Tab-separated table of all heavy atoms in Angstrom:
chain	number	residue	atom	x	y	z
A	272	LEU	N	70.067	-66.795	97.504
A	272	LEU	CA	70.028	-67.422	96.150
A	272	LEU	C	70.915	-68.746	96.231
A	272	LEU	O	72.151	-68.649	96.498
A	272	LEU	CB	70.486	-66.515	95.161
A	272	LEU	CG	70.579	-67.128	93.682
A	272	LEU	CD1	69.161	-67.419	93.041
A	272	LEU	CD2	71.151	-66.094	92.699
A	273	GLN	N	70.150	-69.880	96.013
A	273	GLN	CA	70.845	-71.100	95.895
A	273	GLN	C	70.836	-71.582	94.445
A	273	GLN	O	69.840	-71.558	93.755
A	273	GLN	CB	70.312	-72.155	96.748
A	273	GLN	CG	70.137	-71.781	98.215
A	273	GLN	CD	71.554	-71.970	98.844
A	273	GLN	OE1	72.257	-72.637	98.398
A	273	GLN	NE2	71.610	-71.161	99.996
A	274	CYS	N	71.948	-71.896	93.806
A	274	CYS	CA	71.941	-72.359	92.460
A	274	CYS	C	72.367	-73.817	92.191
A	274	CYS	O	73.486	-74.136	92.877
A	274	CYS	CB	72.778	-71.468	91.559
A	274	CYS	SG	72.216	-69.722	91.496
A	275	TRP	N	71.760	-74.585	91.421
A	275	TRP	CA	72.282	-75.932	91.172
A	275	TRP	C	72.418	-76.029	89.593
A	275	TRP	O	71.943	-75.296	88.793
A	275	TRP	CB	71.368	-76.859	91.650
A	275	TRP	CG	71.259	-77.204	93.080
A	275	TRP	CD1	71.924	-78.135	93.638
A	275	TRP	CD2	70.559	-76.441	93.961
A	275	TRP	NE1	71.752	-78.017	95.002
A	275	TRP	CE2	70.912	-77.142	95.262
A	275	TRP	CE3	69.586	-75.414	93.976
A	275	TRP	CZ2	70.270	-76.685	96.481
A	275	TRP	CZ3	69.093	-74.962	95.224
A	275	TRP	CH2	69.389	-75.493	96.359
A	276	VAL	N	73.386	-76.915	89.256
A	276	VAL	CA	73.604	-77.069	87.680
A	276	VAL	C	73.207	-78.553	87.450
A	276	VAL	O	73.721	-79.523	88.118
A	276	VAL	CB	75.097	-76.807	87.314
A	276	VAL	CG1	75.246	-76.952	85.871
A	276	VAL	CG2	75.503	-75.522	87.857
A	277	LYS	N	72.350	-78.694	86.432
A	277	LYS	CA	71.973	-80.090	85.937
A	277	LYS	C	72.193	-80.330	84.496
A	277	LYS	O	72.086	-79.282	83.653
A	277	LYS	CB	70.374	-80.224	86.278
A	277	LYS	CG	70.101	-80.673	87.716
A	277	LYS	CD	68.670	-81.008	87.772
A	277	LYS	CE	68.215	-81.022	89.333
A	277	LYS	NZ	66.852	-80.786	89.439
A	278	VAL	N	72.507	-81.503	84.122
A	278	VAL	CA	72.545	-81.710	82.680
A	278	VAL	C	71.312	-82.368	82.212
A	278	VAL	O	70.951	-83.373	82.716
A	278	VAL	CB	73.800	-82.679	82.515
A	278	VAL	CG1	73.932	-83.017	80.926
A	278	VAL	CG2	75.173	-82.128	83.054
A	279	ARG	N	70.835	-81.853	81.111
A	279	ARG	CA	69.670	-82.533	80.375
A	279	ARG	C	69.928	-82.601	78.967
A	279	ARG	O	69.773	-81.521	78.232
A	279	ARG	CB	68.512	-81.627	80.537
A	279	ARG	CG	67.844	-81.714	82.016
A	279	ARG	CD	66.591	-82.502	82.136
A	279	ARG	NE	65.978	-82.417	83.260
A	279	ARG	CZ	66.429	-82.720	84.657
A	279	ARG	NH1	67.619	-83.247	84.663
A	279	ARG	NH2	65.878	-82.469	85.642
A	280	GLU	N	70.504	-83.668	78.502
A	280	GLU	CA	70.859	-83.664	77.083
A	280	GLU	C	69.761	-83.434	76.160
A	280	GLU	O	68.647	-84.175	76.309
A	280	GLU	CB	71.528	-85.018	76.825
A	280	GLU	CG	73.044	-85.006	77.139
A	280	GLU	CD	73.640	-86.332	77.053
A	280	GLU	OE1	73.347	-87.197	76.162
A	280	GLU	OE2	74.561	-86.736	77.901
A	281	GLY	N	70.050	-82.616	75.246
A	281	GLY	CA	68.952	-82.296	74.175
A	281	GLY	C	67.681	-81.809	74.592
A	281	GLY	O	66.680	-81.901	74.097
A	282	TRP	N	67.863	-80.908	75.632
A	282	TRP	CA	66.525	-80.411	76.336
A	282	TRP	C	65.921	-79.558	75.231
A	282	TRP	O	64.709	-79.292	75.186
A	282	TRP	CB	66.823	-79.682	77.583
A	282	TRP	CG	67.652	-78.440	77.499
A	282	TRP	CD1	68.865	-78.339	77.799
A	282	TRP	CD2	67.153	-77.039	77.356
A	282	TRP	NE1	69.387	-77.055	77.697
A	282	TRP	CE2	68.250	-76.318	77.405
A	282	TRP	CE3	65.948	-76.594	76.955
A	282	TRP	CZ2	68.232	-74.931	77.133
A	282	TRP	CZ3	65.924	-75.206	76.767
A	282	TRP	CH2	66.944	-74.515	76.792
A	283	ARG	N	66.674	-78.993	74.335
A	283	ARG	CA	66.162	-77.843	73.434
A	283	ARG	C	65.288	-78.567	72.372
A	283	ARG	O	64.543	-77.934	71.624
A	283	ARG	CB	67.314	-77.022	72.823
A	283	ARG	CG	67.688	-75.900	73.710
A	283	ARG	CD	68.584	-75.140	73.025
A	283	ARG	NE	69.943	-75.809	72.738
A	283	ARG	CZ	70.813	-75.063	71.915
A	283	ARG	NH1	70.651	-73.963	71.559
A	283	ARG	NH2	71.979	-75.682	71.609
A	284	ASP	N	65.505	-79.918	72.159
A	284	ASP	CA	64.742	-80.586	71.122
A	284	ASP	C	63.483	-81.226	71.731
A	284	ASP	O	62.691	-81.841	71.009
A	284	ASP	CB	65.573	-81.617	70.512
A	284	ASP	CG	66.743	-81.008	69.714
A	284	ASP	OD1	66.549	-79.892	69.245
A	284	ASP	OD2	67.787	-81.467	69.727
A	285	SER	N	63.366	-81.226	73.078
A	285	SER	CA	62.146	-81.888	73.694
A	285	SER	C	60.998	-81.009	73.968
A	285	SER	O	61.206	-79.936	74.716
A	285	SER	CB	62.773	-82.627	74.935
A	285	SER	OG	61.619	-82.776	75.831
Side-chain angles (χ1 to χ4, degrees):
L272 174 66
Q273 305 284 338
C274 296
W275 284 268
V276 184
K277 278 188 195 158
V278 180
R279 291 259 191 289
E280 272 173 39
W282 68 264
R283 281 190 290 174
D284 298 324
S285 154

